[in-house]
Amino acid sequence: MITDIASDSAGSEIETAAHQHGYISDKDRYLARMRRIEGQARGIAKMIDDEKYCIDILTQVSALTRALQGVATGLLDDHLKHCVLDAAKLGDEDAAIAKIQEASDAINRLVRS
Amino acid sequence: MITDIASDSAGSEIETAAHQHGYISDKDRYLARMRRIEGQARGIAKMIDDEKYCIDILTQVSALTRALQGVATGLLDDHLKHCVLDAAKLGDEDAAIAKIQEASDAINRLVRS
Amino acid sequence: MITDIASDSAGSEIETAAHQHGYISDKDRYLARMRRIEGQARGIAKMIDDEKYCIDILTQVSALTRALQGVATGLLDDHLKHCVLDAAKLGDEDAAIAKIQEASDAINRLVRS
Amino acid sequence: MITDIASDSAGSEIETAAHQHGYISDKDRYLARMRRIEGQARGIAKMIDDEKYCIDILTQVSALTRALQGVATGLLDDHLKHCVLDAAKLGDEDAAIAKIQEASDAINRLVRS
């Protein structure tokens, strides 16, 4: 059983009963991607410490940015296919609209970041 | 004395004698920023492990992306103000043009990533 | 009565009967935004023709890019709130998933462009 | 003879005598690209007016965004190779630094837009 959001959460979620976040089924894959991203960040810090050429560092920063965007679009896709669709299937249109609004706000932040 | 690029480097640099990369004077600040970015990546992994709400995770991914872009535009600025200008001041126009071309390629990768 | 897609269309749409695209209710507003964007593009061409300063032109290009992103995220929001939700309300989960997949692909293209 | 900036200009330029903006030699090519971009904007307005499928419209918006980014990175490259380098060759380091700062600010706006 999944408890949706821990009590210390920022709590932006609109609750739907017994709902499981979309990405949970792929949790291990997402964790592996984030560990790799963390390693990439550490590698860039090492390049700076070793005083590598700026342009070579920038190439790694671009690669890291793309890896992050891959995680973001994956999470969004899972959110739409699970959180939004589950709300819609429960016939709760207000909840579905609210979740879509959250997704749209997140897309805005991603597209502009 | 700075050795420009270690012998195991990918070696995309066009050498100019006794030149110091632009970001070196700010090295500690860049290292601190990368450590913070690494911490943000670790925080996102923990959010996934704790099964936090997807949208809250996406907000952190956007913040991390913006932090990375800040490092990238900072490195570019330093590259232009030091590596490019140093080459130009040495009167070596070919080297300056080559370094600008590298910068332009890096900008392309950043704008599209 | 809305005919969904003209016969000469690229036809990527997955049909749902008598469905109206989300943006149609705001059609006039979207048309006005696109006319303004067209005017911005014409203004940039004029700046180039008048040999204005490159950086001033770049400022206008960034403004135009942001205006376009605003149209794109607006269309996406409307797509999710209408096309996706309408399919979900009809109980057609496959159609809803297919429409979300199209949206996710579009988000990918936007985030990376 | 090129007059650098018309008197009605916003005037953000730091003047260097008898200098020609980098993109001028490619002016016709840039004008052709902007005319094509204007046509793409008009095509998207027509798709909206014809009530085409939202996702097909989004594909065209992404293509237009990429075309604009191509113009922007081209202008930046020309700015660096001409305006910045010309200032550096004149031995005017302050002017060169000022022009690089303008370029960095423009890169920031592009990367974040």
Side-chain angles (χ1 to χ4, degrees), chain B residues 91-99:
Chain B
D92 190 347
E93 182 158 358
D94 286 348
I97 290 274
K99 277 179 182 304

Short mmCIF file of all heavy atoms in Angstrom, two decimals, chain B residues 91-99:
data_model
loop_
_atom_site.label_atom_id
_atom_site.label_comp_id
_atom_site.label_asym_id
_atom_site.label_seq_id
_atom_site.Cartn_x
_atom_site.Cartn_y
_atom_site.Cartn_z
N GLY B 91 46.85 38.99 -30.72
CA GLY B 91 46.87 39.25 -32.16
C GLY B 91 46.67 37.99 -32.99
O GLY B 91 46.83 38.00 -34.21
N ASP B 92 46.31 36.91 -32.31
CA ASP B 92 46.15 35.65 -33.02
C ASP B 92 44.68 35.51 -33.43
O ASP B 92 43.88 34.86 -32.76
CB ASP B 92 46.57 34.50 -32.10
CG ASP B 92 46.66 33.18 -32.86
OD1 ASP B 92 46.14 33.13 -34.01
OD2 ASP B 92 47.23 32.23 -32.32
N GLU B 93 44.33 36.11 -34.57
CA GLU B 93 42.93 36.14 -35.00
C GLU B 93 42.40 34.74 -35.28
O GLU B 93 41.25 34.44 -34.94
CB GLU B 93 42.76 37.03 -36.25
CG GLU B 93 41.31 37.10 -36.67
CD GLU B 93 40.98 38.32 -37.52
OE1 GLU B 93 41.89 39.14 -37.76
OE2 GLU B 93 39.82 38.44 -37.95
N ASP B 94 43.22 33.87 -35.89
CA ASP B 94 42.74 32.51 -36.18
C ASP B 94 42.38 31.78 -34.89
O ASP B 94 41.34 31.11 -34.82
CB ASP B 94 43.83 31.71 -36.93
CG ASP B 94 43.93 32.16 -38.38
OD1 ASP B 94 43.03 32.91 -38.83
OD2 ASP B 94 44.91 31.80 -39.04
N ALA B 95 43.23 31.92 -33.86
CA ALA B 95 42.93 31.27 -32.58
C ALA B 95 41.67 31.86 -31.97
O ALA B 95 40.84 31.12 -31.43
CB ALA B 95 44.11 31.42 -31.62
N ALA B 96 41.50 33.18 -32.06
CA ALA B 96 40.32 33.82 -31.49
C ALA B 96 39.05 33.34 -32.20
O ALA B 96 38.05 33.00 -31.56
CB ALA B 96 40.44 35.34 -31.60
N ILE B 97 39.12 33.28 -33.53
CA ILE B 97 37.97 32.81 -34.32
C ILE B 97 37.65 31.35 -33.96
O ILE B 97 36.48 30.97 -33.79
CB ILE B 97 38.26 32.93 -35.85
CG1 ILE B 97 38.30 34.40 -36.27
CG2 ILE B 97 37.24 32.14 -36.67
CD1 ILE B 97 36.95 35.00 -36.63
N ALA B 98 38.70 30.54 -33.81
CA ALA B 98 38.48 29.12 -33.47
C ALA B 98 37.81 29.00 -32.11
O ALA B 98 36.90 28.18 -31.91
CB ALA B 98 39.82 28.37 -33.48
N LYS B 99 38.21 29.84 -31.15
CA LYS B 99 37.62 29.78 -29.82
C LYS B 99 36.18 30.30 -29.83
O LYS B 99 35.33 29.81 -29.09
CB LYS B 99 38.46 30.59 -28.83
CG LYS B 99 39.63 29.75 -28.32
CD LYS B 99 40.52 30.49 -27.35
CE LYS B 99 41.68 29.59 -26.95
NZ LYS B 99 41.25 28.30 -26.39
#
